[in-house]
Structures are given as C-alpha cells and as structure tokens.
Amino acid sequence: MADIALAHDYVTQRGGAERVALTLTRAFPKLPLHTTLYNPSGTFPEFGAIDVKPMPINRWKMLRAHHRLALPFLKGAISHCRVDADVLVASSSGWAHGIQTTGRKVVYCHAPARWLYQTERYAGSNNSHGIRSRAIEAVSGVVGPNLRAWDQQAAHTADRYIVNSTIIKRAVAEVYGIDAEVLPPPPAMSALTATPQPIARIGQPFVLCVARLLPYKNVDTVIEAIAQIPDLDLVVVGEGPERRRLESLISHTGRTHLLGRVSDGQLRWLYENSSGLVAASYEDFGLTPLEAASFGRPTAALRDGGYLDTIVENVTGVFFEHPDVDSVASAVEEMVRLPWSTRSIINHSESFSESRFVARLRNIVEEELAHC
C-alpha cells in the first residue's frame, strides 16, 4: 500500500491556508499532518480530531503563540525534518515545501513567501503600523538573502508544483522558474456548513468584511469607506496584530462591529444576512467571495490578484480599481444598489466544489506514485 504524508507550514491561526490543510486531511483521511508549530487555541477546532505532528521547535510556548517570532528559526526546524513517504503533499506559503522526504513531493503553494518577496506589503509601509512592521523589515533585511537562497533550493526539491490561482502561477514562474498547475481550493464556508447562530447586537442592513487584521488587508480603508455611507453598518470578522489600531479607528462610530473570531455558525448567519462582502486586500486567492457567493451574496472587491479568478464582474460582484476610501465606498454603494441573481451567484460558487478539488488532487498523487 502506498504511503502518503501531509504537511503544512504551521497550525497556529485561522485562515484560508489552514482551511486548505483541513481539506487535505479529508482528501487523505486518517493521515498525520506534519508541521512546525501547533497552537490548538489559535486555529480551527477541527484540527483537534487530526494527528498533528509538530516539530521540536514547538516546545517553545512563545513561538506557538506568535509564529512570526519564529521566522529566524523555521529554516533550521524544516531542514532537520525528514518524512518517510512515497508521496508527501505539502501545503506551503514558504516553509513546508522545504521538508525532506524519501519519496516524491507535491507542493500546494498558496504563495511564495510574502515576507521574502513582498516585505513592504506584508509588513505595511505606513508608519502607523509601528514596531511590528519595522521588526519584520529588519529581520527580513538581515536573514532575507540567506533565506531566499534556501527557499529557492527548497522549491526545486518538489516533483510537482500546484498553485491556487493564476496570479500565483505567474509569481511561481517569476520567483522559481517553475511552471505550476492551477487548482483553486474550495470555499470552506457554505450554505451546508454549520447551523446558523444569530448575533443579537448586529442590525441590518450591514456589509461584511472577513480578513485577518494585517496591514495589507486594508481593513482600515474599508472601515473609513463604510463610515461615509449612511444607514449601512460594517461587520468585520478576523483577528490579528492590527486590532488595537482598528479599535481606536472605530471608537467614534457605532456602525462598525469588530467581532474578532466567530464560530462557523455565526459566520454562516453573517453571510446569510449581509447585503454583501467587501474585500479590499491583496489576495493570492479570492476565497471569501466564493464563501459569500455560496449564500447568494455579491462582493465588492479590489480588481487585483485572486479576486480576478473568483468573481465574475456584474454577475457575482463589482470591482474597484484602488484600495482607497472613495473607491471602496463607491463600489459598495453600487453593490447594495444593484439587483442580483441569487441563483447565478450560487451556481458560480458551486463550480469551485471540494469534490472537484479532492478528485484532482488524488489524481495528481496517483500520477506521482506511478513514478515511485
């Protein structure tokens, strides 16, 4: 029987990459998931039913709680990890693709490491982002050249590279010189997921923003844009180091609700009852518009990156050209004003099903096993 193994960068947060890692465990059930760091309280509870195998670096509690502090140490942790398997499937945004294996290696790349190749965007160039941004830039400046060399070598240990969107296909070609197959991941949240759990303090109408609170997500711009639109509230779902700054930004208005993390049931209720989604971040794959679409809700999104793959203009959403306050406000006003075909929006989301993703991934692994 073929021996297949799974890996992911670190299981310490809740995001699209972690959703994909969970999908991998459903595509290949009962297999352990190898990773650098595991923080059960910081990530999705579904990982509790999986045999997560963290590396020795996981013994440091501070690094489990703040994985960005581990940046200088992850190369060593990954380089000393060897997984015995006929095929290793690695979910990677810059680390897991470096895990050694005795057999073939398939990498599902969410993006080449942002902090290596897009440092300013990842950290945030605005001075208001403070010490954290300067620390990331400083660390990247010191260790960046060495880590880029390691990263390039790690990428070329893969036998097969798969990417989540056309923009990442281009990025992988530019950064690594690798021609990768595009396999979009499925939306994790859908109308079939969880039982809706109402949130009493949220009134309608409102628009929804689902994003980690990081500088490049442009949540501050969304907050300021919606504040310009009368009689429309904003609900922000997500956690991150920008939270304190955003809380100070919304202190003057009662129409913005910064919820932090919510349960799947609460998120389902928010999607179902929203007037639409606002997505102003630089994304490698536009996952949240697909989640909104599964509930028949449109999206107002930045005309950039993965959103170009997952939004059909004037069918499932509208675009704005720049992530500035006036552009976002104008697009949101258009979104809430236009009539939408709920059926057309839902049909679009169904073309990105988990069954399609799993079937193709299993076929890829079978093809690699044929080379063993």
Side-chain angles (χ1 to χ4, degrees):
M1 175 179 279
D3 189 8
I4 300 167
L6 306 176
H8 183 62
D9 295 329
Y10 29 69
V11 183
T12 60
Q13 54 189 345
R14 299 184 180 209
E18 287 69 41
R19 293 283 196 186
V20 171
L22 285 171
T23 302
L24 294 183
T25 67
R26 291 192 291 272
F28 303 99
K30 299 182 181 179
L31 295 183
L33 180 70
H34 299 270
T35 192
T36 56
L37 300 165
Y38 179 37
N39 180 17
S41 65
T43 191
F44 296 111
E46 291 88 340
F47 282 106
I50 296 163
D51 182 14
V52 179
K53 292 188 176 298
M55 299 174 194
I57 192 176
N58 192 63
R59 69 180 182 272
W60 298 102
K61 182 179 179 180
M62 178 64 73
L63 301 186
R64 294 198 305 270
H66 305 282
H67 69 266
R68 291 178 183 85
L69 297 178
L71 192 151
F73 313 110
L74 291 176
K75 172 192 166 186
I78 291 285
S79 298
H80 287 92
C81 178
R82 186 180 183 87
V83 175
D84 293 328
D86 295 320
V87 175
L88 171 66
V89 181
S91 162
S92 178
S93 298
W95 295 108
H97 67 171
I99 294 175
Q100 300 178 67
T101 184
T102 51
R104 310 280 290 183
K105 187 190 299 184
V106 175
V107 172
Y108 188 87
C109 180
H110 306 282
R114 277 199 188 93
W115 49 270
L116 280 179
Y117 302 105
Q118 296 179 329
T119 306
E120 184 174 322
R121 176 180 288 184
Y122 179 73
S125 57
N126 190 314
N127 288 336
S128 65
H129 297 137
I131 294 172
R132 173 185 169 273
S133 301
R134 293 194 293 274
I136 291 173
E137 291 175 342
V139 170
S140 182
V142 172
V143 303
N146 178 267
L147 283 179
R148 274 189 286 274
W150 175 86
D151 182 68
Q152 293 283 331
Q153 183 179 25
H156 287 276
T157 63
D159 298 285
R160 191 82 161 259
Y161 236 75
I162 311 166
V163 292
N164 57 8
S165 68
T166 54
I167 192 171
I168 297 305
K169 178 181 175 71
R170 290 196 296 270
V172 165
E174 291 170 4
V175 172
Y176 302 132
I178 294 174
D179 184 21
E181 175 184 342
V182 177
L183 179 59
M189 175 61 56
S190 75
L192 301 177
T193 305
T195 301
Q197 297 175 351
I199 303 175
R201 63 185 181 278
I202 305 299
Q204 292 176 280
F206 68 87
V207 291
L208 184 61
C209 177
V210 181
R212 289 178 185 156
L213 305 185
L214 296 168
Y216 73 93
K217 301 290 188 176
N218 296 318
V219 177
D220 52 354
T221 301
V222 175
I223 291 171
E224 293 178 21
I226 305 307
Q228 293 188 358
I229 304 174
D231 304 317
L232 184 66
D233 283 14
L234 170 66
V235 176
V236 179
V237 171
E239 196 55 85
E242 287 278 277
R243 174 151 190 162
R244 182 172 296 178
R245 189 176 74 86
L246 296 176
E247 285 175 338
S248 66
L249 187 64
I250 68 172
S251 61
H252 64 281
T253 174
R255 295 195 296 114
T256 299
H257 310 272
L258 206 61
L259 298 188
R261 291 176 183 155
V262 299
S263 68
D264 281 355
Q266 290 172 321
L267 184 56
R268 174 178 174 173
W269 182 88
L270 289 167
Y271 274 125
E272 286 180 338
N273 289 276
S274 73
S275 297
L277 180 77
V278 189
S281 57
Y282 295 98
E283 291 296 337
D284 305 312
F285 180 70
L287 183 66
T288 52
L290 289 178
E291 293 183 347
S294 73
F295 296 94
R297 297 296 181 261
T299 296
L302 178 64
R303 194 188 297 272
D304 186 271
Y307 297 136
L308 301 176
D309 286 351
T310 59
I311 296 173
V312 180
E313 191 166 13
N314 297 324
V315 176
T316 69
V318 297
F319 287 112
F320 48 89
E321 303 301 324
H322 304 287
D324 60 75
V325 172
D326 290 342
S327 298
V328 174
S330 178
V332 171
E333 288 179 314
E334 181 182 9
M335 178 184 71
V336 298
R337 183 181 68 248
L338 289 174
W340 298 96
S341 167
T342 300
R343 187 66 260 169
S344 295
I345 295 176
I346 292 173
N347 287 345
H348 174 70
S349 74
E350 290 174 348
S351 68
F352 291 81
S353 68
E354 180 170 305
S355 60
R356 167 207 51 84
F357 177 85
V358 167
R360 180 57 190 146
L361 190 61
R362 287 173 175 168
N363 285 342
I364 289 169
V365 169
E366 288 297 326
E367 290 167 8
E368 292 306 312
L369 285 171
H371 294 286
C372 293

